[in-house]
Amino acid sequence: MTRPATRPDVVMCPGGPMLLRGDHVVVDDDGVSHATTRPVSAVCRCGKSASKPWCDGTHKVLPPKLRP
Amino acid sequence: MTSLPKPRGRLSDAVLLALRELPEQPVERIDAEPESDDDAAITLWTLHELHYRGFDEVDDRAEWEPELLRVRRRLEERLEAALRERWPGVPDGLDLQRDFFDWVADHDGPSIARHVHTAATRDQVLDLLRVRSVYHLKEADPTTWVVPRLPVGPKAALVELQFDEYGVGDPARLHAVLFAQGMEASGLRADYAAYVDEAPAEILEQNNALSMFGLQRRLRASALGHLAAFEATSSMPSRRMAQGLDRLGFPAEMAAYYTEHVEADAVHEQTALRDICVALVAEEPVLEADVWFGAWACLDLEDRTARRLLSGWGVAA
Ligand code: FES
């Protein structure tokens, strides 16, 4: 069997969030700290999420040129 | 404790009777045709349940009873044939990784969440929660069947996603448990399949398609396409559901189930597409059509459910 590719810890999704694997503390625009709570977390990169710093899928309704 | 559902026609009558009489009476040949979509759907739902939790009054050996498997196969063929007949086929010129989310977004079906958000009455939402509970109380289970059927990359990614669905090992955070807590707080029964007799054929078909995709190895890629579409249509509707529940004064536990899905599914939609579906197709390109088929089936079956429930409430879909 071939050796599986190494799994990334940080993934930039085209037009969408940044995925973070594992436990992290993310500091938002206002300096407030948010600890991750799940195996993989999605950090908003479009700035339009209502659950910042986490992605809530809002990027999908933005016109393509406003997506990250 | 799960009890058998009520029959909805000749075929379900025959199958339910056979289930009750096992093991004393061997199952006789059952050739009755389903009388209606309701009859077919409740029969197939019951036969699938033998593979999940079974029923109090049914011998566990019924799961592998050849005549019942023959009926199950006949009904799965009927369901799959109906889906394939409606399916427009693999969309032309689209790249799975690049275009999937836009393809989902362009699908403009009727939305139950939008109605709940702004206009639904409390009774309509109670109706909805009761029939949705048929799936939400076993949320994620049908997709777990697929795990041993995958190459290592998609397998590890699917387990990572399911681990989150199953509460990261904490039973109190399991999504099905969050839903059960919301049901109880809302004054509804939270026991498994308590409201299956109220579920219209469209709701049962959603459940049956998921179970069929999960149980048949041949359809493994459709199970994963379904998962990707399901996750990709969850975050924003879940937000609307939570706000609608707040508007109607439902307890916080019920809204919490939906709020959890806003963020969870914004992650899952990414990993379900990229790490599971795209990774699987990279290894087994012939499976791409099945991924699209499963994704389309998810959207189609939800449209049918939405039309059925909204029209039952007298709302234009
Ligand atoms: S990146 Fe998803 S909401 Fe901003």
Side-chain angles (χ1 to χ4, degrees), chain B residues 224-297:
Chain B
L224 300 177
H226 186 292
L227 172 72
F230 195 91
E231 301 289 358
T233 48
S234 175
S235 286
M236 285 182 285
S238 293
R239 164 100 65 214
R240 291 196 187 101
M241 285 294 302
Q243 289 172 344
L245 290 163
D246 276 349
R247 172 179 69 78
L248 291 164
F250 273 82
E253 289 90 335
M254 197 69 252
Y257 166 85
Y258 290 98
T259 312
E260 158 68 13
H261 284 75
V262 174
E263 284 161 29
D265 294 347
V267 178
H268 296 172
E269 67 181 5
Q270 297 294 339
T271 58
L273 177 66
R274 306 159 58 88
D275 301 341
I276 300 176
C277 292
V278 172
L280 178 65
V281 170
E283 294 202 45
E284 298 180 54
V286 294
L287 294 179
E288 179 167 352
D290 287 348
V291 169
W292 286 108
F293 173 59
W296 170 86

Side-chain angles (χ1 to χ4, degrees), chain A residues 15-18 43-49 54-60 68:
Chain A
M18 171 176 74
V43 179
C44 173
R45 292 200 298 150
C46 74
K48 296 286 187 287
S49 170
W54 314 122
C55 166
D56 68 354
T58 301
H59 61 269
K60 292 187 292 182

Side-chain angles (χ1 to χ4, degrees), chain B residues 85-114:
Chain B
E85 210 189 319
R86 295 201 295 273
W87 185 39
V90 176
D92 257 354
L94 295 193
D95 176 81
L96 185 60
Q97 165 140 348
R98 189 192 59 212
D99 300 321
F100 184 79
F101 292 125
D102 286 336
W103 174 79
V104 171
D106 286 346
H107 177 94
D108 197 15
S111 164
I112 293 175
R114 207 169 292 144

Side-chain angles (χ1 to χ4, degrees), chain B residues 35-111:
Chain B
E35 248 175 73
S36 59
D37 287 345
D38 265 282
D39 191 22
I42 196 66
T43 308
L44 185 52
W45 180 85
T46 305
L47 293 171
H48 281 154
E49 273 318 301
L50 299 172
H51 299 282
Y52 293 96
R53 308 269 290 265
F55 298 96
D56 301 341
E57 48 293 47
V58 177
D59 186 78
D60 280 344
R61 280 167 289 193
E63 182 185 2
W64 298 107
E65 171 64 38
E67 181 57 20
L68 296 175
L69 291 172
R70 201 178 65 84
V71 175
R72 182 189 123 191
R73 178 174 168 169
R74 201 148 58 88
L75 292 171
E76 287 184 344
E77 282 169 354
R78 182 183 191 271
L79 174 60
E80 186 181 350
L83 285 169
R84 292 210 184 264
E85 210 189 319
R86 295 201 295 273
W87 185 39
V90 176
D92 257 354
L94 295 193
D95 176 81
L96 185 60
Q97 165 140 348
R98 189 192 59 212
D99 300 321
F100 184 79
F101 292 125
D102 286 336
W103 174 79
V104 171
D106 286 346
H107 177 94
D108 197 15
S111 164

